[in-house]
Amino acid sequence: MRKLLLLTIAACCSLLSRAENYPHRSDYLWLTVPDHADWLYKTGEQAKVEVSLYVYGIPQDVEVSYEIGPDMMPATSKGKVQLRNGRATINMGTMKQPGFLDLRLTAANGDKKYEHHVKVGFSPEQLKPYTKNPADFEAFWNKNLETARKEVKSDKLLVKCEKVDKYTTSEFDCYLLKLKTDSRHAVYGYLTKPKGSASGKYPVVLCPPGAGIKTIKEPMRNTYYAKNGFIRLEMEIHGLNPEMTDEQFKEISTAFDRENGYLENGLDDRDNYYMKHVYVACVRALDYLTSLPEWDGRNVFVQGGSQGGALSLITAGLDQRVTACVANHPALADMAGYLDNRAGGYPHLNRLNNMLTTEKVATLAYYDVVNFARRITCPVFLTWGYNDNVCPPTTSYIVWNLITAPKESLMTPINEHWTTEATNYSQMLWLKKRLF
């Protein structure tokens, strides 16, 4: 089932201020309205967008400069248009191949500049991955998981479990865990359990993190899972204790080079790539969760956004125990797509020198979300926004197109790299409906 959400202006104004099309409590407001209500066209169709700019709610008769180019790619055309009575229509043209066009707008009002963009799609249901599917893909991952389990038996996974009083409430208990996932690596996580869970049985939910060198700063963010009868593990992937001080964290995190430099670490060799132990750690976290005496013995869920959305899909593709998967705007998807002269997935390795060599692209094929998505058998709920420049809609559509398992989508055209709290909560309710 496909669901389409077109957000109203009022809804946009209530969103969090991070990465918004309509800035939080701003004096100005762009309106960009494609002439197809779902922002989708067939290849060869012309796309027209009505553009308006308001300041203090007053339409502005200003000149707007614009560029038009494929999703995440350089502009192929430029122009200017004069807003009259606060409005003008721009013909974006069309695409001969499936994909997205991006209309990038700039207007000056006095000494201030206002920028905005809007993407529309052309037959995106026909998008296919550039990334190849290695013949020994499954053998590679089966071997790595088998090795990790031999190195650290399931009953030795738990290194530390401490109750965290400051996050424990009358409705749930919170614990800080350290899990040793293979002979060299460990991860931390906050585990929340419904109060009195020792006398009941509950589904388990694994929540991998978004990208970055960071610890878990907001363990209370999604406590509605525990309040609704889920055991939930929110994990990190770098072995960084979330209880360390900011000063300690800063000292350690600087050793990782750039904020997301780990995503390039070891790319010349599939056996030495940094993300190998991360993918293994997600499955090992499920080994731990399914060993809990409070687990109901049937329901295993994964849920996350961006890199966390990617890791959720990857875990679902690796582990048949997963019974349902929720992913928002997944990263790490068709990362080599830029070699096909179109948008590729985060972390956009095309922006760095020598990151899309033949050897590195061969390694990426073993780690790209597309090759896990095609192996998922459980129900999937996928969400993405068309205006996202972090995890572009081109790559999200490619992932969606590859999933053959039962699936539902919530496409939010206006969204950039965010989801609303209402969307996040509705995904928890979606998981509740999938309980066995």
Side-chain angles (χ1 to χ4, degrees), residues 93 120 151 271 333:
V120 297
E151 291 173 346
D271 291 309

Side-chain angles (χ1 to χ4, degrees), residues 78-203:
K78 301 180 181 181
K80 294 182 179 181
V81 66
Q82 178 68 39
L83 301 187
R84 303 196 182 280
N85 297 318
R87 296 181 179 182
T89 297
I90 298 174
N91 188 336
M92 292 181 64
T94 189
M95 296 184 77
K96 295 180 179 180
Q97 301 296 326
F100 279 80
L101 276 182
D102 191 6
L103 174 63
R104 303 149 192 165
L105 305 163
T106 304
N109 191 359
D111 60 351
K112 296 182 179 179
K113 281 191 173 182
Y114 304 102
E115 296 182 344
H116 186 57
H117 80 119
V118 59
K119 298 181 189 180
V120 297
F122 294 85
S123 302
E125 72 282 355
Q126 298 177 19
L127 281 164
K128 297 179 180 179
Y130 175 85
T131 302
K132 302 298 186 289
N133 180 28
D136 62 345
F137 182 90
E138 292 179 17
F140 173 77
W141 284 110
N142 288 339
K143 178 183 176 181
N144 281 294
L145 291 171
E146 180 182 359
T147 298
R149 285 171 170 144
K150 285 181 178 177
E151 291 173 346
V152 181
K153 300 294 185 183
S154 292
D155 59 350
K156 301 296 184 183
L157 268 170
L158 184 62
V159 176
K160 180 174 70 173
C161 178
E162 298 176 348
K163 190 172 183 179
V164 185
D165 291 333
K166 63 182 176 181
Y167 298 139
T168 293
T169 73
S170 60
E171 296 178 279
F172 58 84
D173 294 315
C174 181
Y175 302 86
L176 175 63
L177 305 182
K178 182 179 181 181
L179 301 176
K180 188 169 180 60
T181 54
D182 61 33
S183 62
R184 296 177 53 207
H185 301 98
V187 296
Y188 286 87
Y190 284 110
L191 183 73
T192 50
K193 297 181 180 180
K195 207 74 169 182
S197 58
S199 60
K201 299 291 184 180
Y202 301 92

